[in-house]
Structure formats: C-alpha cells, structure tokens
Amino acid sequence: MKRSLKQPMRSLLMPVIPGVIMTILIFYLDYFQFQLVEKFILYAAFVIVPLVILLLRYDAQNKQQRIMFVLMKWLQYPAALLTLFSVMSNKMWGFEGTAIPGMLSLGWLLFTLLLGIYGLTTIVMAKGKAAEIAIGAGLVYFFIGGIWFTLYQYQVDLFNANVTTHALSSVHFHFSSAIVPIFIGALGRIMAKKNWYPWVVAIDIIGPLLIAFGMIFSKPIEYVGVALFACNIVVYTAYLLAYLRKNALNMKASFFLGLSCLAFYTVVVISIFYPLLKKMYSLTILDFIPIYGALHAFGFVLCGLIGWVYMVDSIQEKKIAKENRWVGTSL
C-alpha cells in the first residue's frame, strides 16, 4: 500500500521539476536580462502555480471540475512557456512597443481564467464553508494577476497608473493575494471549528483588494489593506505553529510549514529594525526589496506550499489506511 501511495506522489511532482530548473536559469543566467519583478512573475508561472495544482488533487470535485483539473495539469507548462516568450519578446527579441508581447501573454491570461473558473465553482460548491471559499478566492486572484500581467505586457496605462504598477500588481496577486487565502483555507480544512475563522477568511479576501486599490488610487487605503493582511498572516502562522506543536504530523510537512512561518516572522523582524539598519548602514528601501521578495517568495510561499502538499498527501494516506483497516475488520 505504501508503494502505491508514494508512486503517484513522485509522478505528480515530476511536472514541477522542469519549472524549477527553468526558474533557476532565469534567476541566475545573465542571458535572461529581465527585471526582478518579471522574474518573480515567471517563478510563479513555473513553480508556484504547479504546486497549487498539486494541492488541489485530492479535492472533492464534480465532473466539470475534474475536466478543468486535467486541463490545468496539461496546460500549465505550455502557458508558462508562453509567459516566458512574452517577456523575452519584450526584453530580448526586439519586439518592445509592439503587440507581440501582449499577444503572447494571452496564453497565461486564459490559463489563469481557467484557474479562476475552477475557484468560482469551488466557492459555489462550498455551501458556506469558509475554508473552501478562501481557497476558491485564492484561485480567482490568480486570474486577476493574469489580467495585470497582460496589461503590463501590452503597456496599457490603466487608471493613470504606470506599467511598473501593473507589474507589481501582478506579482501581488500571484503571491500574497492568491497564496494566503489558499493557506488559510488549507488550515481551515484541518483545524477545529473556531468562531473567529470566518472573519479571518473575510478579511483575507478583502485585504488584497484594498491593497490593489490603494496602490493605484490611495496610499492610506493601501496601508490599511497591508495592515489587515499582515495581521491575518500573524493569526494564520500563530495558529499553525501551535497546531504543529500539538499534533503528530508528517515530518516533512511540519518542517516546511515551520520554515514558512519562520520566513514570515523574519520579514516582520527586518521590517521593525529597518529604520535602524537604514541609519546604521546607509541602506535604502531598494536594498531591502530583494531580501523581502526572497523571504516571502522562496520562504513563506514556496516552503508553505511544499508543506501543505506533504500535509494533504499524509492526510490522504492515513485516510486510505484507515479505510483498509475498516474493510479488513469487516471481512
């Protein structure tokens, strides 16, 4: 039985490996002359989204969702390649200022639309379950991130915001906005029912919208959204760490989820001491952006997704083992 459970796990992880290799090349080869924000968008397309798809593989699905899930698995890598080609055509192939980068970006837009439709069906099927609504909302936010990426590649000045803001909005929705609701939804599936949990989900859905709105129209609104969102992550990480301490779980899941929480708190500590560090070492916010980005994207998000993938697989393994014991007893 263990062999039959672990073999599918290995085969499901295989699609992530080419994306990991591609991401390493994009970040470290001088051949790819991309801006940091573009590298993070490609990292989301090649690594983060495939891990999210892995996280959904044991979900209860109707016929339409099963079809969409198969399409997501098969279309993710081609869509990510189109995203890469879109950025390359703009930065390396001499098509900057033409419609070609925007046309190539439509592949990722359509793929994130598929994610969004899957998320909407999850919300409809949730029947008021806060955890499922959170996960569905996270998938919908991927589609909003895809919209911002396409606007960035078409160089459209929307709402009098420059194209750099479009790129930052795309990263915002591909990472924090999409991932945090999915994390909180995954936690909601395994935790005991709490009266405060639906409020956490509600704030988590509203927070990213406030941040995105504030980035374009109002800095105070952005600050309110960031504060609410950060408080939500504090609640999530605090409860998750307490849950991991009290429950005997898969060691790999506990390790990666613990690393994810540690990365978040490291960002918090650096943020608190930022004014002092800035004064002592004559640093600017531009010096800290790569540190914040790396800790969030590779620490909090990546380790968190890997941890939840292991957690879901472990729960499914225990469920199957329990069913087998019940069948053996009844016989």
Side-chain angles (χ1 to χ4, degrees):
M1 176 56 67
K2 286 186 177 180
R3 182 179 301 176
S4 64
L5 285 169
K6 291 182 179 179
Q7 183 60 37
M9 183 64 180
R10 284 197 295 268
S11 64
L12 282 169
L13 284 175
M14 285 301 293
V16 181
I17 296 176
V20 171
I21 295 173
M22 184 61 69
T23 300
I24 293 172
L25 295 176
I26 289 170
F27 270 87
Y28 290 103
L29 287 185
D30 293 333
Y31 174 76
F32 296 101
Q33 298 294 321
F34 301 153
Q35 295 180 21
L36 184 61
V37 66
E38 294 167 338
K39 292 181 178 181
F40 276 118
I41 292 173
L42 292 169
Y43 163 58
F46 278 106
V47 178
I48 299 305
V49 171
L51 286 171
V52 170
I53 294 173
L54 279 179
L55 195 60
L56 302 173
R57 67 191 183 280
Y58 292 130
D59 286 7
Q61 301 166 338
N62 58 23
K63 181 179 179 181
Q64 289 74 23
Q65 280 188 308
R66 286 194 293 270
I67 294 173
M68 285 188 288
F69 184 78
V70 172
L71 288 175
M72 287 190 298
K73 287 200 301 182
W74 284 100
L75 295 178
Q76 176 273 321
Y77 197 74
L81 285 176
L82 285 175
T83 307
L84 174 62
F85 296 155
S86 175
V87 178
M88 292 180 71
S89 66
N90 192 24
K91 298 295 183 180
M92 300 169 57
W93 294 345
F95 293 112
E96 184 177 1
T98 71
I100 292 178
M103 292 174 62
L104 290 171
S105 73
L106 293 176
W108 187 248
L109 177 64
L110 292 174
F111 177 77
T112 55
L113 173 61
L114 183 62
L115 284 175
I117 294 173
Y118 187 96
L120 286 175
T121 59
T122 300
I123 293 173
V124 172
M125 292 173 57
K127 297 180 180 180
K129 294 180 180 178
E132 305 306 314
I133 293 173
I135 292 174
L139 296 174
V140 171
Y141 282 151
F142 275 120
F143 174 53
I144 299 178
I147 293 175
W148 283 113
F149 174 67
T150 297
L151 291 174
Y152 172 65
Q153 290 303 88
Y154 269 112
Q155 302 288 293
V156 176
D157 293 328
L158 187 65
F159 304 124
N160 295 321
N162 59 45
V163 293
T164 302
T165 302
H166 298 344
L168 292 172
S169 297
S170 180
V171 170
H172 168 62
F173 277 102
H174 275 92
F175 285 91
S176 297
S177 297
I179 297 301
V180 175
I182 290 174
F183 282 179
I184 289 178
L187 178 62
R189 287 177 171 180
I190 65 172
M191 65 184 283
K193 291 183 178 180
K194 301 290 183 180
N195 293 331
W196 49 261
Y197 180 75
W199 290 100
V200 171
V201 171
I203 294 172
D204 200 52
I205 294 173
I206 296 171
L209 298 177
L210 291 177
I211 295 171
F213 183 87
M215 288 174 66
I216 298 173
F217 298 109
S218 171
K219 282 295 179 183
I221 293 178
E222 180 184 357
Y223 296 149
V224 171
V226 169
L228 290 173
F229 205 60
C231 290
N232 252 18
I233 301 178
V234 170
V235 173
Y236 158 76
T237 52
Y239 189 93
L240 178 60
L241 288 173
Y243 185 90
L244 294 175
R245 185 171 60 87
K246 293 179 181 179
N247 295 272
L249 302 170
N250 180 281
M251 289 298 296
K252 292 180 180 179
S254 298
F255 174 75
F256 281 106
L257 289 173
L259 279 182
S260 176
C261 296
L262 178 63
F264 169 73
Y265 287 118
T266 303
V267 172
V268 172
V269 171
I270 292 175
S271 300
I272 292 173
F273 287 98
Y274 165 70
L276 179 61
L277 294 172
K278 177 182 176 181
K279 184 177 180 181
M280 290 177 59
Y281 299 103
S282 301
L283 300 174
T284 67
I285 188 62
L286 295 177
D287 297 313
F288 283 91
I289 287 176
I291 299 174
Y292 289 140
L295 284 171
H296 184 75
F298 299 106
F300 177 69
V301 174
L302 179 61
C303 291
L305 278 174
I306 294 174
W308 281 115
V309 167
Y310 277 121
M311 177 78 79
V312 169
D313 187 70
S314 175
I315 292 173
Q316 184 68 13
E317 184 175 347
K318 291 178 180 178
K319 179 180 177 181
I320 293 175
K322 183 177 180 180
E323 290 175 352
N324 288 338
R325 286 197 299 270
W326 183 84
V327 172
T329 303
S330 62
L331 291 176

